[in-house]
Amino acid sequence: MRVLCSITGSPSHARACLPLVRALGEAGHDVLVVTADKLAPVLADERARVEGVYTDITAQGMRLLFEGKLPIPKEFSRFAHDLWATLAAGPQLADAYDVLLPLAREFRPDVILRDGYEFAALLVAETLGVPHVPAPSGSGQFLDPELLLPLLNDRRRALGLPETDDPAAVYRHGRLDCMPAPYSFARPLAPDAVAYRQPRT
């Protein structure tokens, strides 16, 4: 099986995906990891090809925010969640999509494993018609999918992809979690997860 793993964000996002990438490689699957150059060393010793080609999506979003090109949420109580949703799925997502899609087309994955905060991979999976499954990482663990829905539909519209009215579409093919169900950060909207334990190192 060919598995494309797409990771953005910080080293903790890469470490959250590490046991999954390791297990897939050790099981003999063909794994391609697309990530930022600064995150590539986290996965350097694994049985996977690592392409450090991504830029930092969150940093791009912050730059757009400071330039006045992203909306600032009005309600302070929801500011953090709205802000993280905008930084994850705002117009800057198109740049990551444009980097990832040609690699994915060449690799022809059977499934896409994505960092939970990496939504360009979700759009690439929808473009290619392959399943996508998020790993638990960063804000992706607790972001309300209803906040992401209009942002991702904006991106879908721009790419000519079908829109959806289902916020749980971010988990359309399931999700992975490293927390026991009673302690999971995932919103109640998220379906039951396949859980695993992260290694200490």
Side-chain angles (χ1 to χ4, degrees), residues 5 7 32-37 40 48-54 103:
C5 179
I7 307 169
L32 169 62
V33 179
V34 179
T35 189
D37 191 48
R49 189 175 109 213
V50 179
E51 295 282 348
V53 294
Y54 262 174
L103 291 168

Side-chain angles (χ1 to χ4, degrees), residues 54-66:
Y54 262 174
T55 56
D56 188 331
I57 299 296
T58 305
Q60 284 183 298
M62 291 298 286
R63 179 181 49 77
L64 291 175
L65 183 72
F66 292 133

Side-chain angles (χ1 to χ4, degrees), residues 123 126 149-166 169 172:
L123 297 173
E126 290 180 359
L149 182 63
L151 295 164
L152 289 172
N153 275 338
D154 285 348
R155 309 291 78 77
R156 289 180 178 109
R157 207 165 27 253
L159 295 167
L161 294 170
E163 296 176 47
T164 180
D165 58 0
D166 182 8
R172 187 180 311 279

Side-chain angles (χ1 to χ4, degrees), residues 120-152:
L122 179 150
L123 297 173
V124 166
E126 290 180 359
T127 299
L128 298 179
V130 298
H132 57 88
V133 181
S137 55
S139 304
Q141 299 179 83
F142 63 79
L143 270 179
D144 186 341
E146 291 186 14
L147 293 176
L148 292 165
L149 182 63
L151 295 164
L152 289 172

